[in-house]
Amino acid sequence: MDKLSFDLDALESMHRFGDALEAAIKNIESPLADFAVIRDAKDCIGRHWYGMRCQVTGKKTGIGLYLHIGLIYYPTTRIGFMIELDEQNNKAVYSGVLQNLTEGKRYEINREEKEYFKLFMPDEVFACMSGKSVDRQIETIQSFVKEGGEAMMAAAQEDGFKLKYSELTNALYLANAFDKVLSMVKGDMSLVEVNYKDPDNFGQYAQGFRYYLTDLDQRFKLYAYFGAIYSYKKDPAGIFAEIDWFSNQELFDSAMAGIQPSDEYELSIKEPKFIKLFMREEKVILFNQSDYENQIIILMDFLKGCNDGLIKACLKGGNIDG
């Protein structure tokens, strides 16, 4: 451990830096985004960082970035003046920024940490700024934060759609196939009754059908969904069957406790109060390579495995009357 030094001037200068940083951010004028200081956030200042949180909101898109802007001085990572986008607080945009952000004039990209993406002010610019008048410092800080924030906002912009009318017709045929499979499927442990009147059958990012799923003796009943989910905001996506807590409050905990991984499906419980069973990637590839008759067989085998898996889960996870 190096010898300690209490440098009051340096500590006071950190306070001056914080005031200059706040003034710089508050006075940013940008055609792309609004910049708002959140200085009272609990994680603005710590033992190895000094700065403030900043909310950057796209003026046209409404996309939000929750940034940490300031000094970082931890020996095992790069030391300097940074704009940080952390994954935990920016899950919806984090991967897009990482993939799309390009080099800029006033910042240097740092990708050393997996969950923290940083833009640094070049060291020589920071060194040159030190000791200058506060007005000059605010101007330099403002240029750095504005360019970095705008660049992240541009990188987070959502992709536009790419559709051909033939793909819309294919979506119809896929929905018809889901309907056909639900009408034909016979499980070793399960029975199916489709609810064609449910308004949730076709939504903004899913198409398929709600259905009642019972065991062969009809001792208990689940309300399930079978189809395709394709949201660009959610992961995973694909052909799936699911049950949710909202429609299955009496049985959901039992199903959650009893659900098991299977070769028939890929289990996802990432989203609270949902049990999602996805068709495995290799089966999707086979599905796309097959003719129509074999595609129906693949869908039917998949749904049968999902339905029996959910019934088994309820039986394993809790006491079923009867």
Side-chain angles (χ1 to χ4, degrees), residues 237-252:
I239 296 171
F240 79 129
E242 74 167 11
I243 62 168
D244 62 80
W245 176 86
F246 307 96
S247 304
N248 300 277
Q249 296 185 26
E250 293 183 0
L251 293 169
F252 185 84

Side-chain angles (χ1 to χ4, degrees), residues 253-270:
D253 288 345
S254 294
M256 179 65 81
I259 194 68
Q260 298 292 316
S262 171
D263 292 339
E264 303 295 328
Y265 53 76
E266 187 170 341
L267 172 64
S268 174
I269 52 174
K270 293 181 179 179

Side-chain angles (χ1 to χ4, degrees), residues 213-284:
L213 175 63
T214 64
D215 65 300
L216 294 179
D217 296 325
Q218 298 187 325
R219 291 171 295 170
F220 60 93
K221 181 183 292 185
L222 294 167
Y223 196 43
Y225 188 93
F226 171 59
I229 186 169
Y230 43 85
S231 174
Y232 65 94
K233 295 181 178 180
K234 293 186 176 184
D235 180 59
I239 296 171
F240 79 129
E242 74 167 11
I243 62 168
D244 62 80
W245 176 86
F246 307 96
S247 304
N248 300 277
Q249 296 185 26
E250 293 183 0
L251 293 169
F252 185 84
D253 288 345
S254 294
M256 179 65 81
I259 194 68
Q260 298 292 316
S262 171
D263 292 339
E264 303 295 328
Y265 53 76
E266 187 170 341
L267 172 64
S268 174
I269 52 174
K270 293 181 179 179
E271 192 172 355
K273 299 186 177 181
F274 288 84
I275 299 174
K276 290 183 167 70
L277 310 178
F278 283 89
M279 182 178 285
R280 293 187 175 277
E281 183 179 359
E282 59 271 19
K283 285 290 186 179
V284 174

Side-chain angles (χ1 to χ4, degrees), residues 114-242:
K114 181 180 178 181
E115 298 174 352
Y116 299 90
F117 180 71
K118 296 181 175 68
L119 305 182
F120 279 91
M121 176 182 280
D123 293 345
E124 61 273 17
V125 176
F126 187 82
C128 183
M129 179 177 61
S130 181
K132 295 295 191 298
S133 69
V134 68
D135 289 342
R136 287 277 302 280
Q137 290 174 335
I138 289 174
E139 181 181 347
T140 303
I141 291 171
Q142 190 175 85
S143 297
F144 166 63
V145 174
K146 179 175 181 291
E147 181 173 301
E150 287 180 341
M152 285 187 174
M153 181 58 63
Q157 297 288 342
E158 297 168 356
D159 294 334
F161 65 83
K162 301 175 183 177
L163 278 174
K164 299 177 182 178
Y165 289 149
S166 60
E167 293 169 337
L168 304 181
T169 306
N170 184 66
L172 164 64
Y173 295 150
L174 186 61
N176 289 344
F178 294 150
D179 185 4
K180 182 175 183 177
V181 167
L182 279 163
S183 70
M184 297 170 60
V185 68
K186 295 180 180 179
D188 296 333
M189 304 180 67
S190 56
L191 298 172
V192 165
E193 180 185 350
V194 182
N195 182 5
Y196 291 106
K197 295 182 179 180
D198 194 308
D200 289 338
N201 287 340
F202 296 89
Q204 289 181 306
Y205 54 84
Q207 63 168 6
F209 297 92
R210 285 279 203 169
Y211 64 102
Y212 298 101
L213 175 63
T214 64
D215 65 300
L216 294 179
D217 296 325
Q218 298 187 325
R219 291 171 295 170
F220 60 93
K221 181 183 292 185
L222 294 167
Y223 196 43
Y225 188 93
F226 171 59
I229 186 169
Y230 43 85
S231 174
Y232 65 94
K233 295 181 178 180
K234 293 186 176 184
D235 180 59
I239 296 171
F240 79 129
E242 74 167 11

Side-chain angles (χ1 to χ4, degrees), residues 53-88:
R53 286 287 188 173
C54 176
Q55 182 70 37
V56 181
T57 306
K59 289 185 175 180
K60 294 182 179 180
T61 64
I63 294 173
L65 306 176
Y66 188 59
L67 304 178
H68 194 189
I69 305 176
L71 303 170
I72 184 165
Y73 36 96
Y74 196 71
T76 60
T77 61
R78 177 171 174 175
I79 295 173
F81 179 22
M82 56 138 206
I83 304 168
E84 178 186 83
L85 184 82
D86 68 278
E87 184 176 18
Q88 178 64 34

